[in-house]
Amino acid sequence: MRKVFWIIILLVLVYFARPLWEDKASEYVDLSFLDAVDQRIDQVANGPTVTDALDQAKQFTVQVGGQLQSFVSKSSAEMPAVVEKPELAQTESLFAVHNVTLGMTKEEAQAKVGLPLRLMENEYGSDWHSYHQNYQNYVLLSYDQNGKVNGMFTNQDLISSTKDITMKSNKTQVRSALGVPLKSLQKGNVQYILDTREEYDVFKIDSIYVTVFYDIHEEDTVTAIQVIDGGMEEQRPKIYAEPSKELKEGFEFLLFELTNSARIQRELPLLKWDEAARTTTRKHSADMAKNRYFSHTNQAGKSPFDRMSDDGITFFVAGENLAYGQYSSIFAHEGLMNSMGHRKNIVKPDFGYLGVGAAFNSDHQPYFTANFFNK
């Protein structure tokens, strides 16, 4: 990588020295290949961030001998084999996810979705059981003490409903079918106002709580759905869960999984978990939570790239996403996808690794830091 850097520097110097030699050299050499160099250098010089400049350098090409030569090869990550979507049956329940419904036994559910690949503690004090095939047909299920489904989530086209809601439905159609969304949730003696920012709706239908998330960049179409049994929701004492080591780890791995679930739907290479990056991100989340600030630059003036380098992480392209105050990783991820700058990191093809670190402030509000990079 260092050799590549010095080659690029040399090309830049040659470019700016062109007035001294170009006219004379053009009498003997065809200099048309420099047009490609002009274009790339202009893109790098006018890029908005150091990360974008590094990204341009990674893809820097010039024409030599009639062939395009790349100074740095692209990521070698490969796409997994395509897995077919299950055939969705009609349901008599309000919602089914991957043909699973609330109240179904674990044995019945897992006959449809297979065995879980990971268990992650959630804000309800139970575990999300994660089911997927290389993040295709991605489903989260929760079970009560009797082994019956009491929570479901998906951000893929696995929804069936008596209300005819699908991933192609939009906000207007959802509200027409489900009614007026809740403005608040009562927890004990406290009423929590839902600051949805028009990015999601929460509905209470009979004894079921349904949260529908929308993609504001794609005409408010449905992007995910969470279905929670009333008993599970109403036993949650507060809007923010009590922090614990298990909850922190659950939030971290779930944000990682949701990122890959979003990428696979866009036919992008899956990211690999990086433990070193988790250490770096945990420290930044903990620092923000303790000192009550929210910024990519910490109070010592260090950028994400400084912090990664300090921890011995090598990279040629990197980015960072931050989230704060959401109730869970699901809400954090959906919010990040609705922020175009953060969305760009989530769906950037050139990233190959991701580490996520969470922390909680004294009000139990979570802070999330996600470092994306490739090396």
Side-chain angles (χ1 to χ4, degrees):
M1 185 63 202
R2 183 172 296 176
K3 183 182 293 184
V4 173
F5 174 78
W6 286 113
I7 291 173
I8 294 172
I9 292 297
L10 178 60
L11 282 171
V12 172
L13 292 174
V14 169
Y15 170 80
F16 285 111
R18 283 175 64 180
L20 300 178
W21 55 264
E22 184 175 18
D23 289 340
K24 293 182 179 180
S26 62
E27 296 176 11
Y28 307 99
V29 181
D30 181 5
L31 300 179
S32 61
F33 75 94
L34 285 172
D35 292 341
V37 179
D38 289 348
Q39 182 179 7
R40 284 296 184 182
I41 290 177
D42 183 67
Q43 290 173 351
V44 173
N46 293 293
T49 66
V50 173
T51 307
D52 288 339
L54 286 170
D55 191 34
Q56 294 287 347
K58 170 184 170 291
Q59 300 175 12
F60 194 96
T61 59
V62 296
Q63 191 161 350
V64 179
Q67 295 182 342
L68 286 176
Q69 302 290 327
S70 177
F71 288 150
V72 182
S73 62
K74 293 184 179 179
S75 171
S76 59
E78 297 180 358
M79 288 290 298
V82 175
V83 177
E84 290 188 6
K85 190 184 82 170
E87 183 177 347
L88 300 179
Q90 288 187 333
T91 181
E92 297 180 356
S93 300
L94 178 62
F95 281 99
V97 173
H98 203 304
N99 298 319
V100 176
T101 59
L102 293 180
M104 190 175 282
T105 67
K106 181 184 290 187
E107 291 75 18
E108 292 172 324
Q110 293 188 165
K112 300 178 184 295
V113 298
L115 296 176
L117 298 181
R118 181 181 277 133
L119 273 63
M120 299 165 285
E121 185 166 312
N122 60 35
E123 68 273 25
Y124 294 98
S126 64
D127 290 327
W128 283 125
H129 296 233
S130 172
Y131 304 90
H132 58 88
Q133 298 88 41
N134 285 320
Y135 297 97
Q136 298 166 80
N137 300 327
Y138 186 82
V139 175
L140 299 174
L141 298 177
S142 171
Y143 302 96
D144 64 18
Q145 293 180 342
N146 298 316
K148 294 187 176 182
V149 176
N150 62 358
M152 308 185 297
F153 171 86
T154 188
N155 59 356
Q156 297 187 7
D157 188 14
L158 300 169
I159 304 168
S160 48
S161 170
T162 56
K163 299 292 186 178
D164 294 325
I165 294 172
T166 70
M167 297 293 279
K168 296 180 181 178
S169 304
N170 61 34
K171 184 189 300 181
T172 300
Q173 293 168 330
V174 170
R175 290 178 175 178
S176 176
L178 299 184
V180 179
L182 298 178
K183 300 298 182 185
S184 63
L185 280 177
Q186 189 78 28
K187 297 294 178 186
N189 296 323
V190 180
Q191 187 176 53
Y192 294 91
I193 304 300
L194 296 172
D195 183 18
T196 67
R197 303 181 184 180
E198 293 292 306
E199 296 182 7
Y200 67 89
D201 285 327
V202 181
F203 303 90
K204 184 180 181 184
I205 303 169
D206 297 327
S207 61
I208 299 172
Y209 288 82
V210 179
T211 304
V212 182
F213 298 90
Y214 307 109
D215 192 326
I216 65 172
H217 300 296
E218 296 183 8
E219 300 180 341
D220 284 332
T221 51
V222 175
T223 185
I225 187 167
Q226 177 178 277
V227 183
I228 302 294
D229 176 76
M232 184 180 180
E233 179 62 60
E234 289 160 10
Q235 75 177 3
R236 182 166 58 139
K238 296 179 180 179
I239 201 76
Y240 290 110
E242 188 76 25
S244 68
K245 176 184 177 182
E246 292 74 20
L247 183 64
K248 177 168 67 173
E249 290 182 348
F251 276 9
E252 291 168 345
F253 282 120
L254 182 51
L255 191 57
F256 170 78
E257 288 201 357
L258 294 170
T259 300
N260 269 335
S261 179
R263 289 175 69 90
I264 201 67
Q265 293 180 78
R266 292 160 176 81
E267 299 182 353
L268 296 172
L270 297 175
L271 302 176
K272 297 176 182 176
W273 176 263
D274 190 86
E275 193 63 29
R278 172 159 72 165
T279 299
T280 300
T281 55
R282 273 186 169 182
K283 289 190 290 187
H284 188 57
S285 289
D287 187 42
M288 290 191 294
K290 178 181 178 180
N291 294 295
R292 298 279 184 158
Y293 73 95
F294 186 66
S295 174
H296 292 287
T297 303
N298 67 17
Q299 293 182 312
K302 292 192 174 183
S303 71
F305 317 111
D306 296 328
R307 299 193 303 273
M308 292 173 69
S309 296
D310 287 349
D311 288 341
I313 299 172
T314 58
F315 56 90
F316 63 75
V317 59
E320 179 174 88
N321 280 354
L322 300 179
Y324 151 67
Q326 293 85 357
Y327 310 130
S328 72
S329 300
I330 290 173
F331 286 85
H333 172 74
E334 294 299 324
L336 290 168
M337 286 294 289
N338 275 331
S339 168
M340 191 52 76
H342 296 98
R343 185 188 188 112
K344 181 179 178 182
N345 280 338
I346 292 170
V347 301
K348 191 176 184 69
D350 297 326
F351 288 141
Y353 299 87
L354 172 62
V356 180
F360 303 87
N361 66 17
S362 58
D363 295 322
H364 300 175
Q365 296 170 322
Y367 287 72
F368 300 89
T369 304
N371 282 169
F372 303 78
F373 65 102
N374 217 339
K375 54 187 175 182

